[in-house]
Amino acid sequence: DVKVTQSSRYLVKRTGEKVFLECVQDMDHENMFWYRQDPGLGLRLIYFSYDVKMKEKGDIPEGYSVSREKKERFSLILESASTNQTSMYLCASSQWGEQYFGPGTRLTVT
Amino acid sequence: SQKIEQNSEALNIQEGKTATLTCNYTNYSPAYLQWYRQDPGRGPVFLLLIRENEKEKRKERLKVTFDTTLKQSLFHITASQPADSATYLCALAITGGFKTIFGAGTRLFVKA
């Protein structure tokens, strides 16, 4: 069965902290994605990766970076967390069309 | 600007009726369109994918239509059940399919 896991369900961090969100998929998918989801705005793409060590900016990459050292793992890094990065973060993977999502990490920055 | 629009108002229907949700888009040439279901506090779950050269797709009680002239997709749930209550997201795949743009979703409530 397809599985995407995220390192935490809930996370509380302080302004200015460096934050790491990790995502692991067990489907050998080439493509992985990071989104944030805010009420009324839907899912917005932060970054995606179509191969190991390859990455592309999405619609809202500012304040974020990513790392993909292994095929199964895609990390999202908030270099210096700010309150406007409080959100639900969703990771997904895909091979061709449909995307498989993790359970999400609800991040609160205080 | 590029947009995907789903009805932001919740849809309330009676059990057994057909629910119809709408997705409209502008300024895209999508490779394909997808529908996802999302329950509160959870990640979206893929339901159906329809390609630009397909008019209709069915899966059990679900049906999706795709009109690239009108730039619209309709998502139908027949014989709806309270368990169908959720938020439904429309998504367009562009740029060779790597990049997917999601709508904000429509909340569906099915009353028993």
Side-chain angles (χ1 to χ4, degrees):
Chain A
D1 206 12
V2 160
K3 201 157 187 188
V4 178
T5 57
Q6 294 184 228
S7 48
S8 306
R9 289 302 308 273
Y10 300 94
L11 210 51
V12 179
K13 294 292 182 181
R14 291 188 181 274
T15 301
E17 279 192 84
K18 192 168 186 175
V19 182
F20 293 87
L21 302 181
E22 293 208 320
C23 174
V24 178
Q25 51 102 356
D26 66 357
M27 297 160 283
D28 201 37
H29 284 169
E30 302 286 341
N31 310 312
M32 296 187 75
F33 308 81
W34 274 106
Y35 297 89
R36 64 177 282 177
Q37 186 173 31
D38 301 287
L41 295 178
L43 276 76
R44 291 181 291 166
L45 181 64
I46 304 171
Y47 269 97
F48 66 98
S49 167
Y50 51 90
D51 201 352
V52 175
K53 296 191 187 293
M54 305 301 289
K55 60 187 179 185
E56 291 285 340
K57 292 180 181 179
D59 298 315
I60 51 165
E62 297 79 18
Y64 304 94
S65 62
V66 290
S67 171
R68 191 159 180 212
E69 297 296 318
K70 292 185 178 181
K71 191 175 187 181
E72 67 270 18
R73 190 179 296 268
F74 192 34
S75 301
L76 179 70
I77 302 140
L78 286 66
E79 297 291 343
S80 177
S82 64
T83 54
N84 63 12
Q85 293 179 309
T86 290
S87 187
M88 169 71 92
Y89 289 88
L90 288 157
C91 173
S93 74
S94 78
Q95 188 59 32
W96 296 113
E98 63 267 31
Q99 295 188 21
Y100 296 90
F101 284 84
T105 296
R106 186 163 293 284
L107 172 67
T108 302
V109 183
T110 61
Chain B
S1 64
Q2 299 169 327
K3 263 197 210 177
I4 298 177
E5 290 182 342
Q6 295 185 255
N7 194 341
S8 58
E9 292 182 14
L11 179 63
N12 291 282
I13 64 166
Q14 200 66 36
E15 182 177 10
K17 300 292 185 184
T18 296
T20 299
L21 285 68
T22 304
C23 174
N24 295 297
Y25 62 93
T26 60
N27 299 332
Y28 287 119
S29 294
Y32 50 83
L33 184 145
Q34 303 167 71
W35 284 88
Y36 290 79
R37 170 187 172 135
Q38 187 174 24
D39 293 289
R42 299 193 170 199
V45 174
F46 171 76
L47 296 174
L48 279 168
L49 180 153
I50 186 165
R51 300 190 183 281
E52 58 172 341
N53 59 350
E54 297 176 311
K55 295 291 184 188
E56 183 179 297
K57 206 89 173 270
R58 290 174 187 261
K59 180 182 174 184
E60 298 172 351
R61 294 185 296 112
L62 308 180
K63 184 178 88 170
V64 172
T65 62
F66 193 15
D67 188 326
T68 53
T69 302
L70 290 179
K71 295 188 182 297
Q72 182 181 77
S73 174
L74 298 178
F75 176 77
H76 306 273
I77 305 175
T78 58
S80 58
Q81 305 165 0
D84 295 326
S85 298
T87 297
Y88 291 86
L89 308 176
C90 162
L92 293 182
I94 58 174
T95 320
F98 288 136
K99 190 173 177 183
T100 300
I101 311 297
F102 283 80
T106 298
R107 189 87 169 89
L108 172 67
F109 292 96
V110 181
K111 298 177 189 175

